Amino acid sequence: MNVPHRPGGDLREAVRRRGALWQTVKAVSWSFFGVRRSADHAQDVSKLNPVHVVVVGLVLAALFVLGLVGLVNWVIGSGVAAGV
């Protein structure tokens, strides 16, 4: 028998997933780097919680920006940028 598709049912099921934090961090990190095998991507899509992926992505993006700001401040403060 054909079961009717509930709108949002797939999303509810995806949000209930309990993907591991380390696995989510690895997947987001590889995405930032821009290199990911299709088999690994398919595994991530089937196992990871999309809410966790968004939260980890925002945290890692903020850490990246803060790291760049810190690096620029360090270079400017050290006098390397002024040629001293």
Side-chain angles (χ1 to χ4, degrees):
M1 206 166 177
N2 205 1
V3 178
H5 180 70
R6 292 185 337 216
D10 292 337
L11 180 60
R12 287 186 189 107
E13 177 187 323
V15 170
R16 286 189 205 122
R17 293 183 197 141
R18 300 194 55 149
L21 178 63
W22 179 244
Q23 188 178 11
T24 304
V25 170
K26 280 185 4 183
V28 171
S29 298
W30 278 114
S31 297
F32 277 8
F33 188 61
V35 179
R36 193 75 173 148
R37 291 187 327 194
S38 61
D40 290 338
H41 173 72
Q43 182 182 11
D44 291 341
V45 169
S46 68
K47 290 186 177 181
L48 297 180
N49 185 326
V51 175
H52 296 168
V53 172
V54 170
V55 170
V56 169
L58 290 173
V59 169
L60 289 181
L63 289 174
F64 179 72
V65 169
L66 289 174
L68 287 177
V69 169
L71 178 66
V72 168
N73 284 333
W74 176 72
V75 168
I76 290 173
S78 70
V80 173
V84 174

